[in-house]
C-alpha cells in the first residue's frame, strides 16, 4: 500500500523538557498563536450555534413560516436545513484556509525551535 508520507527520519529528534514547554506556553509568540486561533474560532462557533438554534426554534415554534412553499414542494424549512449543511462546509473550508495561512506557520516555527531544528 503506497502512501504520500515521507519515510521516517534517520535522525533522532530532541524531546523538549517540561520546563521548555512551560516557557513556550508563557511566551508572547504562543499567546499570539492562541489569540489568532481564538479570535477566529470563537466568533464563528457562537455564530453557528446561534444560527443552528434559530433553525431549531423556527422549526418548533414557527411551523407556518417553515412550511411556506417556495418552489413546488420545496419549503422554507428545507432551504434552511440545506443551508445548515452548506454553512458547516463553508466554515470548515474557511477555517482550513485560516489555519494554513495564519496558524500553521506560527505553530511550525514554535515546533521547530522546540525540537532544536532552528
Amino acid at each position: 500500500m503506497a502512501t504520500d508520507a515521507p519515510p521516517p527520519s534517520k535522525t533522532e529528534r530532541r524531546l523538549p523538557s517540561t520546563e521548555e514547554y512551560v516557557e513556550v506556553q508563557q511566551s508572547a509568540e504562543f499567546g499570539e498563536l492562541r489569540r489568532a486561533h481564538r479570535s477566529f474560532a470563537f466568533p464563528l462557533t457562537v455564530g453557528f450555534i446561534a444560527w443552528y438554534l434559530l433553525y431549531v426554534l423556527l422549526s418548533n415554534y414557527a411551523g407556518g413560516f417553515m412550511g411556506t412553499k417556495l418552489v413546488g414542494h420545496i419549503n422554507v424549512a428545507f432551504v434552511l436545513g440545506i443551508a445548515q449543511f452548506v454553512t458547516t462546509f463553508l466554515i470548515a473550508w474557511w477555517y482550513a484556509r485560516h489555519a494554513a495561512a495564519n496558524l500553521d506557520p506560527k505553530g511550525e516555527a514554535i515546533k521547530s525551535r522546540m525540537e532544536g531544528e532552528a
Side-chain angles (χ1 to χ4, degrees), residues 3-109:
T3 65
D4 291 333
S9 174
K10 302 240 189 257
T11 61
E12 292 275 331
R13 289 190 178 196
R14 183 182 74 77
L15 294 177
S17 68
T18 303
E19 293 79 21
E20 289 172 311
Y21 277 113
V22 170
E23 182 182 323
V24 167
Q25 183 183 15
Q26 294 172 349
S27 71
E29 183 181 26
F30 188 77
E32 181 183 324
L33 174 62
R34 196 171 24 205
R35 271 188 303 283
H37 168 70
R38 288 179 178 170
S39 67
F40 185 87
F42 287 171
L44 276 180
T45 300
V46 169
F48 184 79
I49 289 172
W51 159 228
Y52 175 74
L53 290 175
L54 174 67
Y55 176 75
V56 170
L57 290 172
L58 287 173
S59 295
N60 283 317
Y61 300 110
F65 169 70
M66 294 295 270
T68 303
K69 302 248 186 218
L70 298 175
V71 177
H73 293 292
I74 297 177
N75 60 17
V76 172
F78 181 77
V79 170
L80 292 180
I82 295 298
Q84 289 285 314
F85 287 100
V86 171
T87 54
T88 299
F89 289 110
L90 285 175
I91 288 170
W93 169 78
W94 193 15
Y95 178 78
R97 286 182 46 130
H98 171 73
N102 300 314
L103 304 179
D104 294 348
K106 292 175 186 176
E108 194 59 41

